[in-house]
Amino acid sequence: MAVEHKDTIDKRREEIMDACERLYETMGFQSINIKVISTETSFSRPSIYNYFQTKEEIFLGLLTREYMKWNDALKSIIGRNTDMNKDALARAIAKSMEERKTLLKISAMNLYEIEENSRAELLVEYKKVFKDSVELFNECLKKYTDVSKEKRTQIRYAFFPYMYGIYPYSYPTDKQISAMDEVKLSHLDITIYEMTYQFLKLVL
């Protein structure tokens, strides 16, 4: 059997993750499986197992890729040759978060199950990228605010758990809205950007 080049493996993994992401836009996590994903790729179901052992590993790869993209956005904020006040920083981070809908959706809905059903080495790879996100977020605060190291740590421990609640609040289902209306529970029509900005504005 021919040995595949790393570039070829990476391309094929990307194609599989792209298919999974497309499906996740219209289907629930439980409805997606490797057979369904294979129908959106040029691979058969058995071929996909050469690159991912479980569907959770595909989602973990997708989440890792999403964090890498967010890291690039945070690096861009850090690299700006301009001073930003706290409000401008909150807006910049909110903008970067607005572009990571898939990251927020996976984190809110299925993260625990995905981590539990992925190989340890892939989980470590994801955690490394996540650690980079935490450090880059901290670097943004350090560069553009005058808050203490202790305060930056407090903001970080508030922001990252808060992130996991952004998607459900921004994209409630019709069923959830109907139930809230039934009990007269007020709810806002709010975007990812607005939720992120308003939170950072409060804590910075």
Side-chain angles (χ1 to χ4, degrees):
M1 184 176 175
V3 177
E4 290 183 308
H5 260 292
K6 183 180 182 304
D7 286 350
T8 302
I9 292 171
D10 289 345
K11 276 185 185 177
R12 291 178 175 175
R13 285 171 59 89
E14 288 289 322
E15 182 182 341
I16 294 164
M17 289 188 291
D18 287 343
C20 183
E21 184 171 19
R22 286 194 302 273
L23 291 166
Y24 197 47
E25 289 175 3
T26 57
M27 295 175 65
F29 178 79
Q30 298 302 332
S31 300
I32 298 172
N33 55 42
I34 289 182
K35 182 178 180 180
V36 173
I37 293 170
S38 72
T39 65
E40 293 288 316
T41 71
S42 59
F43 306 109
S44 65
R45 180 172 61 174
S47 296
I48 289 178
Y49 287 110
N50 292 323
Y51 307 99
F52 299 97
Q53 290 186 2
T54 63
K55 78 166 183 184
E56 287 84 2
E57 288 189 356
I58 301 172
F59 274 93
L60 187 65
L62 181 53
L63 185 60
T64 302
R65 185 173 74 177
E66 281 289 295
Y67 268 104
M68 290 172 71
K69 290 177 180 178
W70 189 42
N71 290 349
D72 287 341
L74 293 175
K75 287 174 188 175
S76 178
I77 292 170
I78 294 166
R80 293 181 187 180
N81 294 320
T82 182
D83 288 330
M84 284 197 289
N85 59 26
K86 291 178 181 179
D87 185 76
L89 177 61
R91 290 183 182 281
I93 294 175
K95 177 65 177 170
S96 73
M97 198 93 277
E98 182 180 45
E99 296 166 354
R100 301 272 68 84
K101 179 181 172 182
T102 300
L103 182 157
L104 294 173
K105 184 177 181 182
I106 294 173
S107 298
M109 313 290 265
N110 313 109
L111 182 59
Y112 189 87
E113 188 173 351
I114 288 166
E115 290 191 356
E116 279 297 298
N117 291 288
S118 296
R119 283 170 287 172
E121 61 266 30
L122 298 180
L123 187 55
V124 168
E125 182 183 326
Y126 159 66
K127 293 296 184 183
K128 284 179 181 175
V129 176
F130 178 80
K131 180 186 174 187
D132 289 343
S133 299
V134 171
E135 291 175 349
L136 288 164
F137 180 83
N138 181 67
E139 193 62 31
C140 286
L141 300 183
K142 186 176 178 181
K143 180 172 181 179
Y144 295 113
T145 74
D146 57 359
V147 298
S148 66
K149 182 178 179 181
E150 181 183 8
K151 178 69 172 175
R152 291 198 305 270
T153 300
Q154 290 172 346
I155 292 171
R156 175 191 125 197
Y157 275 101
F159 180 73
F160 280 86
Y162 176 83
M163 261 175 57
Y164 299 153
I166 291 175
Y167 181 86
Y169 271 88
S170 298
Y171 293 94
T173 65
D174 291 340
K175 189 175 183 180
Q176 289 169 329
I177 291 170
S178 178
M180 287 187 283
D181 289 341
E182 181 76 20
V183 299
K184 296 182 170 53
L185 175 62
S186 63
H187 51 89
L188 295 173
D189 183 11
I190 190 165
T191 66
I192 289 171
Y193 176 90
E194 289 166 339
M195 280 202 69
T196 308
Y197 170 66
Q198 292 297 338
F199 178 82
L200 289 172
K201 191 176 175 184
L202 283 172
V203 299
L204 288 177

